[in-house]
Amino acid sequence: MAKSKRKKTTAEHRASRTVKSLKSQIDKAYSTATKARAESNTYARMAKDAKTAAAKKRYQTRSDNWHKVYKAKMKRRAALTKELKAASAKKQLVTKTKETDQAAMASAIQEHAKQFTNEGNMAIYPTENGGTSDIVFFAPVNTESENNSSNITSWPVDKGAPRSSYARFTSKTISIDGLISDSETGDAHSKWVKLRGWHSNHTELTFKGDIYYKHLIMSELNRQFTGFQNTMQVSITFTFVRAAEITISKKRSSKSSKTLAGTRHKLYTAITIKRGDTLWGLSNKYGKSVKWLAKVNHIKNPNLIYAGRKIRVR
Protein backbone atom coordinates (compact mmCIF):
# COMPACT_ATOMS: atom_id res chain seq x y z
CA MET A 1 0.00 0.00 0.00
CA ALA A 2 1.36 3.39 -0.93
CA LYS A 3 2.35 5.60 1.96
CA SER A 4 0.00 8.57 2.39
CA LYS A 5 1.57 11.96 1.88
CA ARG A 6 1.93 14.05 5.03
CA LYS A 7 -0.10 17.24 4.98
CA LYS A 8 1.87 20.44 5.34
CA THR A 9 1.25 22.75 8.26
CA THR A 10 0.37 26.42 7.92
CA ALA A 11 3.96 27.37 8.80
CA GLU A 12 5.29 25.03 6.12
CA HIS A 13 2.92 26.45 3.49
CA ARG A 14 3.98 29.98 4.42
CA ALA A 15 7.68 29.08 4.26
CA SER A 16 7.22 27.36 0.89
CA ARG A 17 5.39 30.38 -0.56
CA THR A 18 8.18 32.68 0.63
CA VAL A 19 10.88 30.53 -0.99
CA LYS A 20 8.90 30.26 -4.24
CA SER A 21 8.31 34.03 -4.36
CA LEU A 22 11.99 34.82 -3.77
CA LYS A 23 13.09 32.40 -6.49
CA SER A 24 10.68 34.05 -8.92
CA GLN A 25 11.98 37.52 -8.03
CA ILE A 26 15.59 36.36 -8.44
CA ASP A 27 14.85 34.93 -11.90
CA LYS A 28 13.09 38.14 -12.92
CA ALA A 29 15.95 40.34 -11.67
CA TYR A 30 18.53 38.21 -13.50
CA SER A 31 16.48 38.27 -16.71
CA THR A 32 16.21 42.07 -16.57
CA ALA A 33 19.92 42.39 -15.76
CA THR A 34 20.85 40.20 -18.75
CA LYS A 35 18.70 42.30 -21.06
CA ALA A 36 20.16 45.54 -19.66
CA ARG A 37 23.73 44.29 -20.18
CA ALA A 38 22.96 43.35 -23.79
CA GLU A 39 21.43 46.79 -24.45
CA SER A 40 24.41 48.50 -22.83
CA ASN A 41 26.87 46.58 -24.98
CA THR A 42 24.83 47.31 -28.13
CA TYR A 43 24.79 51.07 -27.53
CA ALA A 44 28.48 50.98 -26.58
CA ARG A 45 29.29 49.50 -30.02
CA MET A 46 27.04 52.07 -31.70
CA ALA A 47 28.86 54.86 -29.85
CA LYS A 48 32.19 53.46 -30.98
CA ASP A 49 31.05 53.37 -34.63
CA ALA A 50 29.24 56.75 -34.55
CA LYS A 51 30.26 59.24 -37.24
CA THR A 52 29.55 62.41 -35.25
CA ALA A 53 30.38 63.55 -31.72
CA ALA A 54 26.68 64.20 -30.99
CA ALA A 55 25.66 60.68 -32.01
CA LYS A 56 28.55 59.18 -30.04
CA LYS A 57 27.51 61.09 -26.93
CA ARG A 58 23.86 60.08 -27.35
CA TYR A 59 24.67 56.37 -27.73
CA GLN A 60 27.17 56.45 -24.88
CA THR A 61 24.57 58.00 -22.56
CA ARG A 62 22.11 55.24 -23.39
CA SER A 63 24.82 52.66 -22.83
CA ASP A 64 25.63 54.15 -19.42
CA ASN A 65 21.94 54.23 -18.42
CA TRP A 66 21.47 50.58 -19.32
CA HIS A 67 24.65 49.72 -17.42
CA LYS A 68 23.19 51.40 -14.32
CA VAL A 69 20.07 49.26 -14.69
CA TYR A 70 22.27 46.17 -15.00
CA LYS A 71 24.19 47.00 -11.82
CA ALA A 72 20.99 47.79 -9.89
CA LYS A 73 19.33 44.51 -10.89
CA MET A 74 22.44 42.48 -10.07
CA LYS A 75 22.58 44.16 -6.67
CA ARG A 76 18.92 43.36 -6.18
CA ARG A 77 19.57 39.76 -7.21
CA ALA A 78 22.37 39.45 -4.64
CA ALA A 79 20.12 40.78 -1.87
CA LEU A 80 17.29 38.43 -2.85
CA THR A 81 19.71 35.49 -2.95
CA LYS A 82 20.71 36.28 0.62
CA GLU A 83 17.04 36.40 1.65
CA LEU A 84 16.43 33.10 -0.16
CA LYS A 85 19.22 31.41 1.75
CA ALA A 86 17.67 32.47 5.07
CA ALA A 87 14.15 31.52 3.92
CA SER A 88 15.30 28.08 2.74
CA ALA A 89 16.98 27.46 6.08
CA LYS A 90 13.79 28.46 7.88
CA LYS A 91 11.74 26.16 5.64
CA GLN A 92 14.01 23.21 6.43
CA LEU A 93 13.83 24.01 10.14
CA VAL A 94 10.02 24.19 10.12
CA THR A 95 9.74 20.91 8.20
CA LYS A 96 12.33 19.15 10.35
CA THR A 97 10.74 20.44 13.57
CA LYS A 98 7.30 19.22 12.49
CA GLU A 99 8.60 15.79 11.50
CA THR A 100 10.53 15.54 14.78
CA ASP A 101 7.43 16.52 16.78
CA GLN A 102 5.29 13.95 15.00
CA ALA A 103 7.89 11.22 15.55
CA ALA A 104 8.13 12.16 19.23
CA MET A 105 4.33 12.06 19.61
CA ALA A 106 4.08 8.63 17.94
CA SER A 107 6.91 7.29 20.10
CA ALA A 108 5.33 8.63 23.32
CA ILE A 109 1.98 7.01 22.49
CA GLN A 110 3.68 3.74 21.60
CA GLU A 111 5.67 3.69 24.84
CA HIS A 112 2.55 4.50 26.84
CA ALA A 113 0.79 1.48 25.32
CA LYS A 114 3.57 -0.79 26.63
CA GLN A 115 3.09 0.39 30.20
CA PHE A 116 0.49 -0.96 32.63
CA THR A 117 -1.55 2.07 33.63
CA ASN A 118 -5.16 2.84 34.40
CA GLU A 119 -5.34 4.75 31.14
CA GLY A 120 -5.81 3.27 27.70
CA ASN A 121 -4.64 4.24 24.26
CA MET A 122 -7.02 7.16 23.72
CA ALA A 123 -4.80 10.24 23.32
CA ILE A 124 -5.44 13.93 22.60
CA TYR A 125 -2.77 16.47 21.70
CA PRO A 126 -2.41 19.72 19.67
CA THR A 127 -2.22 19.13 15.92
CA GLU A 128 0.49 21.79 15.59
CA ASN A 129 3.20 23.06 17.92
CA GLY A 130 2.59 20.36 20.50
CA GLY A 131 5.14 18.46 22.59
CA THR A 132 5.04 15.06 24.26
CA SER A 133 4.13 16.76 27.55
CA ASP A 134 0.91 17.98 25.89
CA ILE A 135 -0.54 14.48 25.39
CA VAL A 136 -3.58 13.65 27.54
CA PHE A 137 -4.34 9.91 27.74
CA PHE A 138 -7.78 8.45 28.53
CA ALA A 139 -9.18 5.14 29.69
CA PRO A 140 -12.27 4.52 27.51
CA VAL A 141 -15.54 3.87 29.35
CA ASN A 142 -17.90 3.97 26.36
CA THR A 143 -17.48 3.50 22.64
CA GLU A 144 -16.01 6.24 20.48
CA SER A 145 -18.51 7.52 17.94
CA GLU A 146 -18.37 9.45 14.69
CA ASN A 147 -21.27 11.38 13.18
CA ASN A 148 -21.41 12.88 9.68
CA SER A 149 -24.22 15.28 8.72
CA SER A 150 -25.39 16.72 5.41
CA ASN A 151 -28.21 19.05 4.43
CA ILE A 152 -30.37 17.47 1.74
CA THR A 153 -33.08 19.47 -0.02
CA SER A 154 -36.65 18.30 0.59
CA TRP A 155 -37.92 19.97 -2.58
CA PRO A 156 -38.35 18.03 -5.84
CA VAL A 157 -35.17 18.07 -7.92
CA ASP A 158 -34.63 18.01 -11.67
CA LYS A 159 -34.66 14.53 -13.10
CA GLY A 160 -31.20 13.42 -14.12
CA ALA A 161 -29.48 16.33 -12.32
CA PRO A 162 -26.43 15.47 -10.15
CA ARG A 163 -27.62 14.88 -6.61
CA SER A 164 -24.53 16.64 -5.31
CA SER A 165 -26.07 19.88 -6.54
CA TYR A 166 -28.86 19.51 -3.97
CA ALA A 167 -26.84 18.23 -1.00
CA ARG A 168 -24.24 19.94 1.13
CA PHE A 169 -21.99 18.38 3.76
CA THR A 170 -22.42 20.26 7.06
CA SER A 171 -20.29 18.68 9.78
CA LYS A 172 -18.33 15.77 11.16
CA THR A 173 -18.33 15.22 14.92
CA ILE A 174 -16.41 12.81 17.14
CA SER A 175 -17.73 11.95 20.62
CA ILE A 176 -15.77 10.14 23.34
CA ASP A 177 -16.16 9.24 27.01
CA GLY A 178 -13.09 8.47 29.08
CA LEU A 179 -11.51 8.46 32.49
CA ILE A 180 -8.49 10.57 33.30
CA SER A 181 -6.56 9.60 36.39
CA ASP A 182 -3.12 9.10 37.85
CA SER A 183 -3.04 7.20 41.14
CA GLU A 184 0.67 7.90 41.72
CA THR A 185 0.90 11.65 41.21
CA GLY A 186 -2.75 12.62 41.39
CA ASP A 187 -2.64 15.03 38.45
CA ALA A 188 -6.09 14.33 37.00
CA HIS A 189 -7.08 17.91 37.78
CA SER A 190 -4.07 19.32 35.91
CA LYS A 191 -5.09 17.26 32.87
CA TRP A 192 -8.59 18.67 33.13
CA VAL A 193 -7.19 22.20 33.26
CA LYS A 194 -5.21 21.48 30.10
CA LEU A 195 -8.32 20.18 28.32
CA ARG A 196 -10.31 23.20 29.48
CA GLY A 197 -7.60 25.52 28.16
CA TRP A 198 -7.70 23.82 24.74
CA HIS A 199 -11.48 24.19 24.71
CA SER A 200 -11.40 27.87 25.70
CA ASN A 201 -8.68 28.73 23.15
CA HIS A 202 -10.26 26.66 20.35
CA THR A 203 -6.98 24.80 19.91
CA GLU A 204 -6.79 22.53 16.85
CA LEU A 205 -6.33 19.01 18.19
CA THR A 206 -5.57 15.45 17.13
CA PHE A 207 -7.46 12.50 18.62
CA LYS A 208 -5.90 9.04 18.35
CA GLY A 209 -7.85 6.00 19.46
CA ASP A 210 -9.95 3.51 17.52
CA ILE A 211 -10.88 6.65 15.57
CA TYR A 212 -7.97 8.77 14.38
CA TYR A 213 -8.49 12.35 13.20
CA LYS A 214 -6.49 15.55 13.02
CA HIS A 215 -7.82 19.13 12.85
CA LEU A 216 -10.48 18.80 15.54
CA ILE A 217 -11.83 21.53 17.81
CA MET A 218 -13.72 20.83 21.03
CA SER A 219 -17.35 21.90 20.77
CA GLU A 220 -18.37 20.34 24.10
CA LEU A 221 -16.40 19.45 27.23
CA ASN A 222 -18.03 17.98 30.35
CA ARG A 223 -16.81 16.13 33.46
CA GLN A 224 -18.26 14.20 36.36
CA PHE A 225 -16.58 12.62 39.37
CA THR A 226 -16.78 8.85 39.69
CA GLY A 227 -16.14 8.63 43.42
CA PHE A 228 -12.63 7.25 42.98
CA GLN A 229 -9.67 9.31 44.15
CA ASN A 230 -7.86 11.33 41.48
CA THR A 231 -10.26 10.08 38.80
CA MET A 232 -12.91 11.89 36.78
CA GLN A 233 -15.01 10.96 33.79
CA VAL A 234 -14.76 13.34 30.87
CA SER A 235 -17.09 13.58 27.87
CA ILE A 236 -15.83 15.42 24.80
CA THR A 237 -17.40 16.27 21.46
CA PHE A 238 -15.04 17.31 18.67
CA THR A 239 -15.97 19.06 15.43
CA PHE A 240 -13.76 18.50 12.41
CA VAL A 241 -12.61 21.76 10.84
CA ARG A 242 -11.90 22.12 7.16
CA ALA A 243 -9.22 24.67 6.35
CA ALA A 244 -9.39 26.44 3.01
CA GLU A 245 -6.48 28.43 1.61
CA ILE A 246 -7.77 31.73 0.31
CA THR A 247 -5.88 33.34 -2.53
CA ILE A 248 -6.47 37.02 -3.20
CA SER A 249 -5.47 38.25 -6.64
CA LYS A 250 -5.08 41.90 -7.49
CA LYS A 251 -6.53 42.87 -10.85
CA ARG A 252 -5.98 46.13 -12.63
CA SER A 253 -9.15 47.88 -13.65
CA SER A 254 -9.56 48.91 -17.25
CA LYS A 255 -9.33 52.54 -18.27
CA SER A 256 -13.05 52.64 -18.96
CA SER A 257 -13.82 51.82 -15.31
CA LYS A 258 -11.62 54.52 -13.78
CA THR A 259 -13.55 57.45 -12.32
CA LEU A 260 -10.83 59.82 -11.22
CA ALA A 261 -12.98 62.78 -12.24
CA GLY A 262 -15.81 61.66 -9.97
CA THR A 263 -19.48 61.40 -10.86
CA ARG A 264 -21.41 64.32 -12.24
CA HIS A 265 -23.78 64.71 -9.31
CA LYS A 266 -20.90 65.40 -6.88
CA LEU A 267 -19.94 68.99 -6.06
CA TYR A 268 -16.61 70.24 -7.32
CA THR A 269 -14.64 73.47 -7.50
CA ALA A 270 -13.61 75.07 -10.81
CA ILE A 271 -11.68 78.29 -11.37
CA THR A 272 -10.69 80.42 -14.35
CA ILE A 273 -7.03 80.17 -15.31
CA LYS A 274 -5.23 83.49 -14.93
CA ARG A 275 -2.18 84.68 -16.77
CA GLY A 276 0.91 83.20 -15.13
CA ASP A 277 -0.92 80.19 -13.59
CA THR A 278 0.71 76.75 -13.87
CA LEU A 279 -0.50 73.27 -12.92
CA TRP A 280 2.36 73.07 -10.45
CA GLY A 281 1.25 76.27 -8.72
CA LEU A 282 -2.41 75.19 -8.70
CA SER A 283 -1.36 71.78 -7.35
CA ASN A 284 0.39 73.39 -4.36
CA LYS A 285 -2.49 75.79 -3.75
CA TYR A 286 -5.38 73.30 -3.86
CA GLY A 287 -3.67 70.14 -2.66
CA LYS A 288 -4.11 68.08 -5.83
CA SER A 289 -1.31 66.46 -7.79
CA VAL A 290 -0.33 67.72 -11.23
CA LYS A 291 -1.20 64.27 -12.60
CA TRP A 292 -4.70 64.47 -11.08
CA LEU A 293 -5.33 67.97 -12.46
CA ALA A 294 -4.19 66.93 -15.93
CA LYS A 295 -6.29 63.75 -15.86
CA VAL A 296 -9.51 65.36 -14.61
CA ASN A 297 -9.27 68.33 -16.98
CA HIS A 298 -8.11 66.31 -20.00
CA ILE A 299 -4.89 68.29 -20.36
CA LYS A 300 -2.49 66.46 -22.66
CA ASN A 301 0.52 68.69 -21.96
CA PRO A 302 0.78 69.57 -18.23
CA ASN A 303 3.27 72.33 -19.11
CA LEU A 304 0.79 74.16 -21.35
CA ILE A 305 -2.46 75.70 -20.04
CA TYR A 306 -4.36 78.71 -21.39
CA ALA A 307 -5.55 81.81 -19.51
CA GLY A 308 -9.31 82.36 -19.53
CA ARG A 309 -10.27 78.68 -19.56
CA LYS A 310 -12.06 76.87 -16.76
CA ILE A 311 -10.18 74.24 -14.80
CA ARG A 312 -11.40 71.93 -12.06
CA VAL A 313 -9.15 72.06 -8.98
CA ARG A 314 -11.21 69.99 -6.48
Side-chain angles (χ1 to χ4, degrees), residues 259-277:
T259 56
L260 295 179
T263 53
R264 292 183 179 276
H265 68 277
K266 290 185 178 180
L267 297 176
Y268 62 88
T269 302
I271 65 168
T272 301
I273 300 175
K274 297 179 181 179
R275 191 177 186 85
D277 283 341

Side-chain angles (χ1 to χ4, degrees), residues 58-81:
R58 182 170 64 253
Y59 292 139
Q60 188 60 48
T61 299
R62 293 180 182 177
S63 176
D64 292 342
N65 289 339
W66 277 112
H67 186 68
K68 290 179 181 178
V69 173
Y70 165 74
K71 290 179 65 177
K73 292 301 178 182
M74 290 301 291
K75 185 178 180 181
R76 173 65 174 164
R77 179 175 179 245
L80 289 171
T81 302

Side-chain angles (χ1 to χ4, degrees), residues 146-179:
E146 176 180 340
N147 180 54
N148 296 278
S149 301
S150 296
N151 285 334
I152 311 296
T153 180
S154 59
W155 297 98
V157 300
D158 297 334
K159 185 176 181 180
R163 291 300 180 260
S164 58
S165 300
Y166 301 94
R168 183 179 295 276
F169 187 86
T170 55
S171 66
K172 180 196 296 291
T173 57
I174 311 295
S175 299
I176 64 168
D177 281 325
L179 297 174

Side-chain angles (χ1 to χ4, degrees), residues 180-238:
I180 54 175
S181 62
D182 195 325
S183 57
E184 294 181 359
T185 59
D187 63 348
H189 179 71
S190 64
K191 294 178 182 179
W192 165 258
V193 171
K194 184 175 294 184
L195 291 171
R196 191 171 58 192
W198 290 343
H199 176 258
S200 300
N201 296 321
H202 310 298
T203 304
E204 197 171 301
L205 302 168
T206 295
F207 172 73
K208 187 173 179 61
D210 292 331
I211 297 174
Y212 178 34
Y213 273 112
K214 299 180 180 180
H215 313 298
L216 302 172
I217 291 180
M218 290 186 195
S219 52
E220 290 187 21
L221 175 64
N222 303 292
R223 68 172 176 173
Q224 57 182 346
F225 293 94
T226 60
F228 296 100
Q229 186 178 8
N230 301 324
T231 303
M232 66 180 74
Q233 183 174 341
V234 177
S235 300
I236 302 176
T237 300
F238 297 102

